[in-house]
Amino acid sequence: MTPETAASGFWSDCPSCRKPHAFPSPEAPAIHCSRCHAQISFRKPDAVQRTSALVISGLIFYVPANILPVMTITITGQTENLTIWGGVMELYDSGLAPVAAIVFFASILVPLFKLLGLSWILLALEKTKGIRTRDRVYTAIHTFGRWSMVDVYLLSVLVAVGQLGILASVVARPGAIFFCLVLVLTLFATELFDRRLIWDFPEKAAAVKPKGQP
Amino acid sequence: MPSGPADTTASNPPVIVCRECGAVSPRLTLPAGSEENCPRCGHRLALSRQSCISPCLALAVAGLIFGLLANILPLLVFNVYGDEQSNRLFSGVISLFAQGYGAVAVLVFLCSMLAPFLRFGGLAWVLGACFFRQPLPALAPLLKLSHWAGKWNLVEVYAVALVVAMARLDLLGAVELRIGAAFVVALFLCSLMLDQWLNPDEVWEKVEDLQ
């Protein structure tokens, strides 16, 4: 078998160890990796349905995550309910613009970018234009997605040190649960999506389309 | 310049599948210092470079030690009118649990303690076996586990969150960094360099040979 004929077959790599395996057809059932025994499908199973479901749930929970307060801070009798946005504004008003920018990027921009970016990729799957842009958007989602965890860690640090009785207390609020839900849902949505689909559909459409038609 | 197709055996298939777009390319034998790129999307398929086993083993062992110290030592101390409280990695998890936010606590525990431990511990075990050529038990499952743990290892995000927490607490009272924070940063650097240098293909081939 020359490399050229081998390269024209249906190959897919193991999601865990990346060893390539040959499939008889793209619709062939899943097999087990000969090296690490992980399950391999030619494309991740039901990727579009699973990602869509997770993105839609994420969009729904994004609303309470931003409206409800994530924590209550009490310092020497003064109580303050903070939403995600409130936390950014407070840092900005205190003259800590760079820190405010980090929180704004990680907690507001990144989750929104993940949800809207994935929605766009899912809706535009059968478009032949903008493949490279969508691919870059997916790379960005994959790279920056983890940074939305900043606010959850921040909460865990503040809650840990905010146990000083009447002097200072920090209490978590339900907004934090919705924020975590959005975070986990988008992380799974990114993981369960198969980025090769961005390249598959337009190619299939080009193969089916008869010559001479626009 | 790439020079012709590589040796193909059952354990070394004749093709490379692009991780980015799924395009299939022939596997080439690469001269030292060169790389093979996907013809469709341009993503790097393979890179010929020195063995990653010994530097990555050093990083994994260092990461385990730094991780242990980061877990034991206090990270920062917060002081309001003489009353003070220190923060460790685990105290946030306990406080969140105590306040009834178990789900948030589990997420923090998973991403800042369990996943880094599994990532560094699993890799130290597997790379140690490769380095000393010992067919230790459970190599493939542990390498697989460390791959998935790497996705949930968010220790670099924790380091940034500590900076934000410092700024925020400074508005409320007096806050001071403690030595543990230095080990969180050291852990973050180990994690970053390990992701950069680890060549999973090479490690998997070594593991396959050992078994």
Side-chain angles (χ1 to χ4, degrees):
Chain A
M1 193 159 49
T2 66
E4 284 71 30
T5 56
S8 62
F10 299 107
W11 291 82
S12 187
D13 56 345
C14 171
S16 142
C17 76
R18 297 179 50 191
K19 181 173 180 171
H21 287 72
F23 282 75
S25 75
E27 291 78 27
I31 56 172
H32 285 274
C33 176
S34 62
R35 181 152 74 181
C36 72
H37 307 297
Q39 204 178 32
I40 318 169
S41 306
F42 182 66
R43 292 291 181 259
K44 291 182 192 170
D46 304 325
V48 173
Q49 291 91 324
R50 289 178 186 183
T51 311
S52 312
L54 292 169
V55 168
I56 292 168
S57 332
L59 281 167
I60 294 170
F61 290 130
Y62 186 78
V63 177
N66 281 281
I67 290 176
L68 296 175
V70 285
M71 62 179 112
T72 300
I73 301 181
T74 311
I75 292 285
T76 55
Q78 283 185 306
T79 300
E80 195 179 6
N81 286 316
L82 279 176
T83 57
I84 302 268
W85 180 248
V88 176
M89 286 318 287
E90 200 190 75
L91 284 169
Y92 183 77
D93 290 341
S94 320
L96 296 164
V99 185
I102 294 177
V103 180
F104 177 73
F105 170 78
S107 308
I108 293 176
L109 274 192
V110 168
L112 197 62
F113 177 69
K114 282 199 281 189
L115 290 168
L116 296 181
L118 284 173
S119 308
W120 179 49
I121 289 171
L122 287 166
L123 290 173
L125 264 185
E126 293 178 35
K127 297 260 190 322
T128 43
K129 277 184 187 161
I131 297 174
R132 249 162 232 282
T133 318
R134 292 202 295 277
D135 196 70
R136 282 195 200 111
V137 167
Y138 186 87
T139 306
I141 291 172
H142 205 93
T143 313
F144 295 120
R146 41 178 46 217
W147 288 97
S148 43
M149 189 72 184
V150 164
D151 235 288
V152 180
Y153 280 150
L154 176 66
L155 178 68
S156 92
V157 176
L158 295 188
V159 160
V161 295
Q163 304 291 324
L164 296 171
I166 42 168
L167 278 177
S169 83
V170 181
V171 183
R173 286 277 175 224
I177 291 183
F178 289 106
F179 189 81
C180 284
L181 265 174
V182 174
L183 182 94
V184 172
L185 288 171
T186 51
L187 282 178
F188 273 105
T190 317
E191 239 3 89
L192 293 178
F193 183 68
D194 195 325
R195 67 183 307 168
R196 293 168 293 193
L197 294 178
I198 298 174
W199 299 82
D200 281 356
F201 274 87
E203 204 158 83
K204 225 181 265 173
V208 168
K209 196 187 286 174
K211 277 177 189 167
Q213 279 194 9
Chain B
M1 284 294 287
S3 63
D7 296 341
T8 57
T9 55
S11 68
N12 201 8
V15 298
I16 302 184
V17 181
C18 178
R19 279 168 86 197
E20 193 149 339
C21 73
V24 182
S25 312
R27 183 190 296 270
L28 306 173
T29 308
L30 296 173
S34 67
E35 57 179 65
E36 183 180 351
N37 294 309
C38 176
R40 180 159 73 175
C41 70
H43 188 74
R44 189 166 71 203
L45 295 174
L47 173 69
S48 154
R49 59 179 172 187
Q50 288 183 319
S51 168
C52 73
I53 303 287
S54 56
C56 288
L57 175 60
L59 283 172
V61 173
L64 267 183
I65 297 168
F66 292 148
L68 186 71
L69 292 170
N71 272 287
I72 295 173
L73 299 167
L75 307 178
L76 52 81
V77 170
F78 180 54
N79 187 316
V80 180
Y81 299 117
D83 209 351
E84 69 172 32
Q85 189 142 28
S86 70
N87 170 50
R88 289 178 167 78
L89 270 176
F90 202 55
S91 40
V93 177
I94 294 173
S95 307
L96 284 169
F97 246 116
Q99 295 186 4
Y101 287 79
V104 186
V106 168
L107 190 65
V108 172
F109 174 72
L110 176 74
C111 298
S112 66
M113 300 176 76
L114 186 64
F117 174 73
L118 294 176
R119 171 84 173 151
F120 286 101
L123 279 177
W125 180 261
V126 173
L127 292 169
C130 294
F131 186 75
F132 296 107
R133 295 176 209 291
Q134 296 297 317
L136 299 175
L139 289 182
L142 279 175
L143 188 50
K144 214 156 77 175
L145 183 68
S146 71
H147 170 75
W148 298 117
K151 293 176 190 285
W152 290 97
N153 171 17
L154 301 181
V155 70
E156 75 273 30
V157 182
Y158 197 95
V160 172
L162 271 181
V163 174
V164 179
M166 287 286 293
R168 168 128 281 211
L169 289 170
D170 199 44
L171 301 175
L172 307 172
V175 60
E176 259 177 58
L177 277 179
R178 285 283 182 266
I179 188 73
F183 291 111
V184 171
V185 174
L187 187 61
F188 151 47
L189 291 176
C190 281
S191 175
L192 205 72
M193 288 194 278
L194 198 56
D195 288 348
Q196 202 63 42
W197 283 348
L198 191 73
N199 178 0
D201 294 332
E202 185 195 349
V203 183
W204 273 109
E205 275 161 29
K206 288 246 162 66
V207 165
E208 217 171 12
D209 287 346
L210 281 175
Q211 281 172 337

